[in-house]
Amino acid sequence: SFVSARQLEMQPSTNIIDAIAHQPGVSQITTGSGISKPVIRGLGFNHVVVVNDGVRQEGQQWGDEHGIEIDPASVHSVEILKGPASLMYGSDAMAGVLIFHSAPTLAKGDMSANFSTGYQTNNGLFDYSLNFDGNQGGFVWNTRYSGKMAHAYKNKYDGYVFGSSLREQALSQLLGWNYRQGHSHLTLDYYHLTPGIVEGERDEKTGELEIPDGYDAKSYGKPMPYQQIHHYKAVLDNSWFLGDGNLKLLLGYQQNRRQEFEEEENPKECGLDFMLHTVNYDLHYLSPEMNGWKFSIGVNGMWQQSINKGTEFLIPAYHLFDYGVFATVSKKIGKLNLSGGIRYDHRHLHSEADSFRFQAFKRSFEGVTGSIGLAYEILPDFNIKLNLARGFRAPNISELSSNGVHEGTQRYELGNTGLKPENSWQFDLGLDYSSPIISAELSLFANRINHYIYSEKLADENGQPVLIDDTPAYQFTSGDARILGGEASIDIHPVEHLHFGNTFSYVNSVQLHQPSESKYLPFTPAPRWISDVRYEFVCNGRTFDHLFVKLQMDCNLRQNHYFAANDTETATPSYTLLNMYAGTDVKLHGKRLLSLYLSGENITNRAYQNHLSRLKYLAENTVTGRRGVYNIGRNFCIKVVVPIEL
């Protein structure tokens, strides 16, 4: 599926994953309102590859509370690939790929600027972004600076949730040259996020969330504890035309530093401190079309080095190198499109010894993946798609060798060096129909995963949680899994300007050969039904353009399929959120002067917990008997976008 620039512009959000989480088949694992991890069809973490500036984003994404280090304002559009995409992207693309596209470069002689700002009432979120780009004689540039800050969010049950505040800054710079034979672009990015850590400690008498002395829940300053994330990225993107074919070379460097500050007595001393260096490379050739045939060949991969610089340790320092070679082919025969390909991956991982808790080890993983698919136009408005793909994922460093307290998740995590790589077979069936009145789409999938890796809460022989350093212990293990599900959507527009849309997403994730308490996979999203009515009052008006109002019902059904072993997960009741959106372009002399968007989400102020919220498992409120912290309450948002043509 595809999310356009206009859709991203209209959707209020706290981060880029939050902005696309309403798409069918896409969910998010959240830590408060500031940190989101993508989930595609029930699989998240290292099962989803995120591509930005042409390279895969690498930022310790194995962590539960590690978000995506991308400035939402810099994303022009999003492409969502569902299903195993290991053929093109290698290990970790077992669930799919999120491709964040930057804005295309302008035509020669053009320059433009853009300013946007927004405010959200619930957590006082204020953001802004300023952009200036152009193309003069083939020399292209794009400069953007963004900032964001928010205090703690609130809901009906918890009041203000101390530790859910955040601050964000981002700077990006594109410099390049467009010439007749291709282009060469250099992109430099800096992203800085300072999110708090919600611990959920409560006053035993009142049940209210505690706020440490000297702190204010509505402060925009740093709470204690908090994280500090710095992400630097440089990408050199080269593309050359060779006849009617195309040769592309991408080289990238990323540095990710993630720190956790926990001690009030030593506020400048961090506990966990990860430094990750990544070099990405991708070289591939795409042929011209020859009698309906097209093919591509290439090699891509990465080199990594991770260093521990803090006083606490969770994973060992390590080195990683991988490569993958692939070939794809496609053929068009009338109304039939055939495509397929094959890939070989090899990954080598070497961890370093630590005198306190880690022993050195080396592991190598390899896999062969591929896919074959067809698309056929049954009728002019009716198409069918079939695809069979094999996925591959090597265990990450956390799954193999964690040994320490992860403060952000309140877990003592234990790795397992004996884990095998995951591999999967997935079959997809897609049907789509469009007419002047109805547009409909149905996507079904069946996925079989061998050696599926997950984290299980440990218990002793009496069923009591195992504690290490006074923290519940979790151990990585694996098993075989079967995932079934799909998405259905229909949009009815019986009269001009009126749209009635519905989408439904469902995932059923089962572990094979397991007792009932271990039957279902953890972090499986609940069935979700989104229904909305949109009416566009004015289109191509003299002063107003695209003036619309949309009413939306977001219904998350009860999730009874959860990983119950040792109380790792619990059931989640159903809930329905009512949202309202409105917006318009304001024109002057036929040109867009500004765009204004208003929204109200969770208008009824419903207290709820999403099944994929990590805050759901914090301490129980002994006064009310409710466990954990609830999601954000009623929230109104205003957003203004001002384009400037130069």
Side-chain angles (χ1 to χ4, degrees), residues 456-525:
E456 180 178 11
K457 191 175 183 179
L458 298 182
D460 59 22
E461 60 275 7
N462 298 318
Q464 298 300 311
V466 172
L467 301 179
I468 304 178
D469 293 347
D470 296 322
T471 307
Y474 287 74
Q475 171 85 57
F476 284 101
T477 184
S478 66
D480 295 335
R482 184 269 298 152
I483 306 177
L484 301 174
E487 304 87 43
S489 63
I490 183 169
D491 184 87
I492 304 173
H493 31 99
V495 296
E496 193 175 9
H497 306 312
L498 176 65
H499 288 262
F500 177 50
N502 288 270
T503 63
F504 183 75
S505 303
Y506 176 76
V507 175
N508 181 274
S509 304
V510 173
Q511 288 202 83
L512 304 176
H513 319 300
Q514 293 288 332
S516 59
E517 65 271 13
S518 303
K519 180 179 179 181
Y520 300 106
L521 300 186
F523 289 114
T524 298

Side-chain angles (χ1 to χ4, degrees), residues 46-47 62 347 349 361-366 392-402 413-423 450-456 474-480 511:
N46 283 77
H47 295 92
W62 45 264
R347 172 172 291 185
L349 181 68
F361 73 92
K362 296 181 180 180
R363 291 289 305 274
S364 292
F365 308 97
E366 58 184 11
F392 163 77
R393 186 180 81 86
N396 63 50
I397 188 67
S398 174
E399 295 164 339
L400 290 168
S401 58
S402 289
E413 296 181 351
L414 295 167
N416 182 349
T417 56
L419 292 172
K420 297 179 180 180
E422 298 177 349
N423 57 75
N450 298 318
H451 315 304
Y452 174 81
I453 300 169
Y454 61 96
S455 178
E456 180 178 11
Y474 287 74
Q475 171 85 57
F476 284 101
T477 184
S478 66
D480 295 335
Q511 288 202 83

